Amino acid sequence: MARRFYFGARNFSRPFVKLLWNPRVTGLENIPREGGFVIASNHLANIDSFMLPVVLPRQIRFVAKDTLWTQKGLRGRLLHWFFEAVEAVPVDREALSSGKGALQAGLSILRDGDGFAIYPEGTRSRDGLLHPGKQGAAWLAVESGCPVIPVGLKGTQHMFSRLIPQRGAITVRVGAPIEVDDIDPSASKGVRRRLLNARIMDEIQKLSGQRRA
């Protein structure tokens, strides 16, 4: 039911996204056809969490604050239904801010053979620069053994800044998988996470074309 809703909503949205914005998407062949994988993307706007599911061929899941499940009234019921339908993972605010709850939820998703998306910067870039990445994506990869797929987004922060959308101004570039085995297996987990995190951020920078903060 949830997967049918996810792909139904995606297939419904795609024609409108293509008509209005016509995003340029490359590298979709880098998404594994089966098994768990980590999407590690730069983060320019809230709409990124809509754009990625629309363009990627496999389902990806995110985490969200658990308070979004408990709001009252019609809006609350609709939100609860929507987040359940797309299989978002509710995490309490304290655990989400610490990162632990989100990472544990992501690890469970990966071990089930599904895709999990994470923004290594931790929050949106308000100045357009690529900020230092936290080690969440690297931790997930090391603990699960799943590949990290770097993604570079460009132009999503301006999607709604024009009365008439500018077609072709949004770019989604999907990079080649980064395998955990590419990192020195003799190193400690902490060292491997730091090396992998540096590699992830380097690849995101190449794909997005952003300057470093």
Side-chain angles (χ1 to χ4, degrees):
M1 174 71 178
R3 289 182 186 273
R4 286 200 300 271
F5 178 88
Y6 180 97
F7 288 107
R10 188 192 70 176
N11 293 338
F12 177 81
S13 303
R14 273 183 172 178
F16 293 99
V17 171
K18 184 173 179 59
L19 175 66
L20 294 174
W21 291 282
N22 193 29
R24 294 175 291 174
V25 184
T26 60
L28 293 182
E29 68 278 4
N30 290 317
I31 302 295
R33 294 189 176 183
E34 58 184 21
F37 62 99
V38 181
I39 292 291
S41 173
N42 62 323
H43 194 16
L44 299 171
N46 287 330
I47 199 68
D48 297 343
S49 297
F50 168 79
M51 183 59 65
L52 288 173
V54 165
V55 303
L56 297 182
R58 285 185 61 189
Q59 181 177 3
I60 55 173
R61 296 171 66 186
F62 295 86
V63 296
K65 293 181 293 187
D66 60 358
T67 53
L68 295 173
W69 270 258
T70 57
Q71 294 186 25
K72 297 180 180 180
L74 177 61
R75 181 175 183 271
R77 289 195 294 272
L78 288 173
L79 283 173
H80 184 276
W81 170 78
F82 177 79
F83 284 115
E84 286 289 326
V86 298
E87 296 188 286
V89 180
V91 177
D92 68 76
R93 184 185 297 272
E94 183 177 348
L96 191 60
S97 63
S98 71
K100 294 178 181 178
L103 292 178
Q104 289 298 332
L107 184 59
S108 177
I109 290 168
L110 294 171
R111 286 175 172 167
D112 285 341
D114 294 325
F116 182 73
I118 189 170
Y119 301 114
E121 293 168 278
T123 188
R124 287 176 292 146
S125 171
R126 299 185 183 279
D127 55 13
L129 302 177
L130 184 66
H131 291 259
K134 297 175 171 54
Q135 294 184 23
W139 184 88
L140 287 168
V142 170
E143 294 299 318
S144 68
C146 295
V148 178
I149 315 298
V151 174
L153 298 172
K154 187 176 182 179
T156 54
Q157 72 272 39
H158 303 306
M159 278 186 69
F160 298 101
S161 62
R162 295 170 177 265
L163 185 60
I164 300 177
Q166 183 179 359
R167 301 182 81 244
I170 296 169
T171 302
V172 183
R173 299 181 67 192
V174 182
I178 303 172
E179 301 288 348
V180 180
D181 292 343
D182 293 343
I183 307 301
D184 185 1
S186 65
S188 68
K189 277 190 175 182
V191 171
R192 296 184 80 199
R193 286 196 300 268
R194 288 193 293 273
L195 292 173
L196 183 56
N197 184 60
R199 170 87 178 275
I200 290 168
M201 298 310 295
D202 285 346
E203 293 301 318
I204 290 176
Q205 192 278 326
K206 292 176 185 177
L207 293 165
S208 69
Q210 292 169 282
R211 290 191 296 112
R212 302 266 189 165

